[in-house]
């Protein structure tokens, strides 16, 4: 039996080194126990059966490493063993991760998802309080993460609050930023966190202006720590009044129900729905800002997330942000966006009522002198980014998705979908989404022949008119 003791709850390198040595020594998962050292002396405790120094190598899919790096931050004490079992099985079955129904794959995927969601909650919910004054002021926040995410989440705060020295105190580990580097110290008790200061009022009014009823579904554990907690009850009441007004209005003007405000139901399906609804677009935008799902983030200025009302009935999907969008951080603000605005107006669709997004959320380009030349995203990039489209779709639940161009069609339909054969008619997808394809406005901009350009533009407007008609029809049927 081998008893592996890791340095800390987040000791991925320790787990990886031990797992590699165990696997190369053909040690079965059932012959290994894993735990984390309680104190430094334990780190040097011998493993019961010494391992031979690892000979040879083996490879695992890059996706496993990415998944393991995140899943290891889950609080489940079985995670180290589960990861080793998966690693062991992957050596025999290299494509195992493709089998989403495999219990080990499903469990590790769910763990990684829970960790990411906790990271995103921390990004959205940490509230700093000022301690000290002027030159000596320091900003301190208290947070209780569900999982071991402090090291994972800290770089986000270093970027976001680069100009102020801060500390985030948690029961597990504390993160500190001095304007140059992030450091970590052991966790502390809540009593060490400051309780009130002059920032409180600022947070309260800021929060009142951005309040979204999604916070209603937030566990009390989180909102109790927010300075704006005292404003939450009146805000919820205000939101409910707004909801009632909207529902009353719906009697004369059919509109998609505001499902985030429905009372919760007890079934599993309903709680899954509630979780998905909790994917408020602003929270998704925050989470996507840190997306590393493919390499495109490395050269792009920022993630360009979708934009528009969460109650939008039409979701327009483009390919990827262009140069202007990359700099502005907003979709369709450059030449293609202007063409789109014009066509929407001619089709009688108010852009302010549409949610506009892209299949790929980072600008892909090659530098050519001072110019950044657009590059078409490839299939792995489209697939890596599809999670965001799926979550936007779940949050918005539009009546119709309009995919503009081949990349958008591939993402929306989940496979390569020829435009000309399918354009201009609503198609019901297996997941219940109603989708339509048309050309991308950039295609119209690129057409060299003026007649062809005018003709194709009219067809594009015609497709958008069909989208508008589909909506009118579904509004009548509702
Ligand atoms: N082209 C796109 O597909 N999306 C944008 O946001 C801009 C140009």
């Amino acid at each position: 039996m081998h008893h592996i003791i890791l340095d800390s709850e987040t000791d991925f390198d320790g787990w990886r080194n031990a797992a590699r040595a165990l696997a190369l020594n053909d040690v079965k998962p059932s012959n290994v126990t894993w735990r984390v050292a309680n104190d430094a002396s334990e780190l040097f405790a011998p493993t019961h059966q010494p391992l031979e120094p690892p000979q040879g190598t083996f490879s695992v899919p890059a996706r496993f490493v990415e998944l393991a790096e995140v899943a290891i931050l889950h609080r489940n004490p079985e995670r180290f063993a589960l990861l080793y079992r998966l690693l062991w099985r992957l050596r025999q079955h290299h494509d195992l991760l493709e089998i989403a129904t495999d219990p080990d794959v499903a469990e590790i995927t769910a763990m990684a998802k829970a960790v990411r969601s906790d990271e995103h909650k921390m990004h959205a919910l940490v509230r700093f309080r000022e301690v000290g004054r002027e030159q000596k002021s320091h900003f301190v926040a208290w947070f209780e993460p569900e999982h071991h995410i402090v090291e994972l989440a800290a770089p986000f705060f270093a970027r976001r609050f680069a100009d102020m020295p801060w500390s985030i105190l948690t029961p597990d580990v504390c993160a500190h930023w001095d304007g140059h580097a992030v450091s970590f110290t052991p966790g502390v008790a809540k009593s060490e966190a400051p309780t009130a200061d002059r920032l409180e009022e600022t947070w309260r009014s800021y929060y009142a202006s951005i309040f979204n009823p999604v916070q209603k579904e937030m566990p009390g554990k989180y909102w109790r720590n927010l300075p704006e907690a005292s404003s939450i009850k009146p805000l919820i009441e205000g939101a409910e009044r707004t909801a009632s007004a909207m529902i009353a209005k719906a009697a004369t003007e059919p509109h998609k129900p505001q499902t985030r405000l429905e009372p919760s139901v007890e079934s599993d399906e309903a709680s899954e729905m509630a979780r998905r609804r909790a994917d408020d677009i602003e929270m998704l935008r925050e989470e996507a800002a840190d997306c590393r799902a493919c390499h495109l983030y490395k050269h792009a200025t920022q993630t360009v997330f979708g934009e528009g009302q969460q109650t939008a009935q039409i979701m327009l999907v483009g390919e990827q942000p262009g140069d202007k969008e990359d700099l502005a951080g907003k979709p369709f603000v450059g030449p293609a966006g202007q063409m789109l605005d014009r066509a929407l107006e001619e089709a009688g669709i108010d852009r302010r009522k549409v949610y506009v997004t892209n299949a790929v959320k980072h600008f892909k380009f090659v530098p050519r002198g001072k110019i950044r030349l657009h590059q078409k995203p490839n299939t792995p990039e489209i697939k890596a980014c599809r999670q965001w489209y799926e979550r936007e779709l779940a949050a918005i639940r539009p009546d119709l998705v309009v995919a503009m161009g081949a990349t958008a069609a591939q993402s929306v339909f989940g496979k390569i979908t020829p435009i000309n054969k399918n354009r201009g008619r609503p198609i019901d997808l297996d997941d219940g989404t109603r989708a339509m394809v048309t050309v991308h406005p950039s295609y119209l901009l690129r057409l060299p022949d003026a007649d062809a350009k005018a003709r194709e533009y009219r067809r594009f407007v015609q497709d958008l008119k069909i989208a508008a008609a589909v909506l009118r029809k579904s509004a009548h049927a509702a």
Side-chain angles (χ1 to χ4, degrees), residues 332-351:
F332 283 101
V333 293
Q338 282 157 21
M339 170 79 80
L340 176 63
D341 284 352
R342 210 178 101 204
L344 283 172
E345 198 181 330
E346 284 183 37
I349 298 173
D350 184 348
R351 174 157 173 183

Side-chain angles (χ1 to χ4, degrees), residues 304 317-326 330-337 351 356-360 374 404 408 440-442:
V304 179
V317 186
E319 180 190 77
Q320 61 158 347
D323 181 76
K324 294 257 182 330
E325 288 79 11
D326 170 75
K330 289 166 177 291
F332 283 101
V333 293
R351 174 157 173 183
V356 183
T357 193
N358 284 301
V360 171
H374 161 276
M404 300 183 294
H440 191 285
S442 300

